[in-house]
Amino acid sequence: MDKVLSFHQGRLPLLISMPHAGLALTPAVEQGLVEQARSLPDTDWHIPRLYDFALELGASVVAAEYSRFVIDLNRPDDDKPLYAGATTGLYPATLFEGESLFKDGQVPSADERATYLERIWRPYHDTIRHELARLRATFGYALLWDAHSIRSLIPHLFDGKLPDFNLGTFNGASCDPALAERLQGVCAEFPQYSHVLNGRFKGGHITRHYGNPENHIHAVQLELAQCTYMDETEPFAYREDLAPLTREVLERLLAAALAWGKARYGA
């Protein structure tokens, strides 16, 4: 199996995770996908490009190389559901619209999927765990930002149009409430965008599992509506006319998180 993730170690107490940005497929998954899945429509498109300022900022960044159609890095390894109602699991069986992901009889075998768990899922989570431990040992705390995006209209998964910026803190359990309040304040400074805290998206496995405010690890998920920076239909083009302002909001959000951490911990 080829390289399963990319990782850059930064100089700030901030780790940005991009678990759904990968495009690589294993042979079994590629051969088994239905035609409408071959364009990988449920990808968090262009997230590394949208956040490329983070490297210069000094953040650590980990990003998946393999598609969520192979294995979903934001689900627990025991595949327990995270949300009530329609959702996707550790090994997705359907597209976001509800159609089957694989052709009849061409779902990857249990042995193949066990390999995906050991060789794709576990290295990604080992990287998060080790980097958070390093950051906490170095700075006394760590900030984890789980970066996602999604089409703004998916009737099978949620009613109506999503807000543009969907912040998730697992109903306040994954980060200090003061940090969440600071982030909401930044979003409110951009009235052209809608935002919500712990709405439809409260944070997936990464936010819930690693966020531990009592242990000075503060995790936030941002589910960004793709209409804010790209075309939501094929070929899923990045929009240079839309993305710059969205990037400005992202930069402000991360700067606010870092400023909060410095004020709270003095580092």
Side-chain angles (χ1 to χ4, degrees), residues 112-251:
E112 287 167 330
R113 285 180 161 175
T115 299
Y116 305 161
L117 183 67
E118 292 302 317
R119 298 183 63 181
I120 300 175
W121 191 96
R122 295 208 187 284
Y124 194 87
H125 285 269
D126 286 346
T127 300
I128 291 178
R129 186 175 65 257
H130 293 154
E131 182 62 3
L132 289 176
R134 184 189 74 84
L135 295 178
R136 188 179 180 282
T138 302
F139 299 98
Y141 72 103
L143 304 173
L144 173 60
W145 187 269
D146 207 37
H148 296 261
S149 72
I150 193 168
R151 296 195 303 279
S152 59
L153 288 166
I154 305 180
H156 180 67
L157 294 184
F158 48 81
D159 296 329
K161 186 175 184 290
L162 275 178
D164 297 317
F165 286 77
N166 299 266
L167 296 164
T169 66
F170 194 27
N171 290 328
S174 70
C175 82
D176 191 299
L179 173 55
E181 184 177 355
R182 180 78 66 92
L183 297 174
Q184 285 186 283
V186 171
C187 289
E189 294 174 7
F190 294 85
Q192 56 270 67
Y193 296 118
S194 56
H195 69 277
V196 68
L197 175 66
N198 294 315
R200 173 61 180 84
F201 297 97
K202 304 178 189 298
H205 174 67
I206 290 171
T207 304
R208 303 181 192 200
H209 182 71
Y210 295 104
N212 186 350
E214 292 185 359
N215 198 36
H216 311 298
I217 298 175
H218 303 271
V220 177
Q221 176 179 294
L222 175 62
E223 193 80 55
L224 182 64
Q226 291 178 340
C227 62
T228 63
Y229 72 94
M230 59 171 279
D231 289 334
E232 295 188 328
T233 56
E234 291 186 51
F236 310 115
Y238 189 83
R239 292 281 298 275
E240 292 287 1
D241 57 326
L242 298 176
L245 184 57
T246 301
R247 280 168 55 96
E248 181 181 341
V249 182
L250 295 175
E251 291 184 52

Side-chain angles (χ1 to χ4, degrees), residues 5-8 16-23 43-56 61-66 124 147-149 224 226 229-230 238 243 247 250 254:
L5 60 86
S6 62
F7 175 63
H8 170 84
I16 301 174
S17 162
M18 304 175 181
H20 293 157
L23 299 175
T43 301
D44 288 8
W45 290 101
H46 310 297
I47 285 294
R49 180 177 180 180
L50 195 64
Y51 281 86
D52 62 9
F53 65 87
L55 296 179
E56 185 175 347
V61 179
V62 58
E65 294 289 334
Y66 275 85
Y124 194 87
H148 296 261
S149 72
L224 182 64
Q226 291 178 340
Y229 72 94
M230 59 171 279
Y238 189 83
R247 280 168 55 96
L250 295 175
L254 295 183

